[in-house]
Amino acid sequence: MVKDVNIAVIYYSATGNVHRLAEAVAEGAVKAGAHVRVHRVSELAPDTAIDANPDWRAHVDQTRDVVPEARLDDLAWADGYAFGSPTRFGMVAAQLKQFLDQAGGLWLNGVLTDKPATAFTSSINRHGGQETTLVSLYNLFAHWGSIIVPPGYTDPVLYEAGGNPYGVSWPTGQPPELPNDQTLRAAQYQGQRLADITRRLMPKESTR
């Protein structure tokens, strides 16, 4: 028999788009029978920057006491990872990058090795650096020795959500809109796929 699967969904979201994707990824993993932690990384931006954008301030206030902050212990606990970040000039947001940069001790001790990992993102424009943001996270997974689990084109729902084989991505447009139903279904599928593959790769426990 195979033991229970633990999935950590760790993300940064400024105005709520990546937060909603993270919830959908977690829903898919839960549907696949996984135990899931959905945790946000800490905010680094000063209040002056946050207050300049009412949507940013609203999201920070809404999630501060609701979504737990991610800890390195989450990485040790999990058997598989899903990381989410808005696109920042084609790269990962500094808030998530700072958290990941602290995982050196876990990496050195092999804690992150052989664990499946996937990623998701959001930007204002469809061609605003979504794929490069996801690939930058996959470069990190390669250094960790993790097993990269992109959604590819493995289900029709991915085509309906824009067909990004690297990971679910949402173009918010301007004025910004939260992810639509097709994108949320694709995110759920990505979480389900991560949990299923994680379970398939885990060693079976002895029944003796």
Side-chain angles (χ1 to χ4, degrees):
M1 57 184 295
V2 178
K3 76 168 192 172
D4 292 338
V5 171
N6 297 329
I7 299 295
V9 181
I10 297 175
Y11 72 96
Y12 171 71
S13 184
T15 58
N17 293 289
V18 176
H19 168 77
R20 187 65 194 95
L21 292 177
E23 290 181 325
V25 170
E27 290 164 4
V30 169
K31 182 179 179 181
H35 301 290
V36 181
R37 292 181 182 178
V38 183
H39 290 180
R40 59 179 176 83
V41 299
S42 59
E43 180 61 81
L44 303 178
D47 284 336
T48 52
I50 297 172
D51 290 338
N53 184 335
D55 291 337
W56 194 352
R57 168 52 66 192
H59 181 68
V60 168
D61 292 343
Q62 290 167 3
T63 57
R64 179 185 292 111
D65 299 323
V66 178
V67 183
E69 278 198 7
R71 302 173 301 163
L72 293 180
D73 175 67
D74 296 322
L75 300 181
W77 169 84
D79 303 304
Y81 309 123
F83 292 104
S85 171
T87 290
R88 294 290 184 264
F89 299 107
M91 297 184 290
V92 176
Q95 290 85 344
L96 181 62
K97 183 66 164 58
Q98 185 203 46
F99 174 80
L100 297 171
D101 284 346
Q102 298 177 61
L106 296 175
W107 164 77
L108 187 63
N109 290 309
V111 175
L112 311 172
T113 303
D114 296 337
K115 293 187 177 182
T118 196
F120 51 97
T121 190
S122 178
S123 63
I124 292 177
N125 302 307
R126 182 172 297 280
H127 299 292
Q130 295 177 343
E131 292 185 356
T132 56
T133 298
L134 295 173
V135 170
S136 68
L137 282 166
Y138 293 165
N139 289 337
L140 169 82
F141 301 158
H143 281 262
W144 282 3
S146 300
I147 299 169
I148 300 171
V149 183
Y153 295 110
T154 54
D155 190 276
V157 70
L158 299 166
Y159 292 94
E160 298 170 7
N164 189 337
Y166 298 94
V168 170
S169 54
W170 168 243
T172 68
Q174 194 66 272
E177 296 182 359
L178 289 172
N180 61 23
D181 290 342
Q182 293 95 326
T183 301
L184 294 177
R185 285 196 296 270
Q188 290 170 346
Y189 171 77
Q190 187 169 349
Q192 181 177 343
R193 174 173 163 81
L194 174 66
D196 287 341
I197 290 178
T198 301
R199 178 175 288 107
R200 286 160 55 187
L201 293 174
M202 292 180 66
K204 294 183 178 179
E205 293 181 332
S206 174
T207 57
R208 291 182 297 176

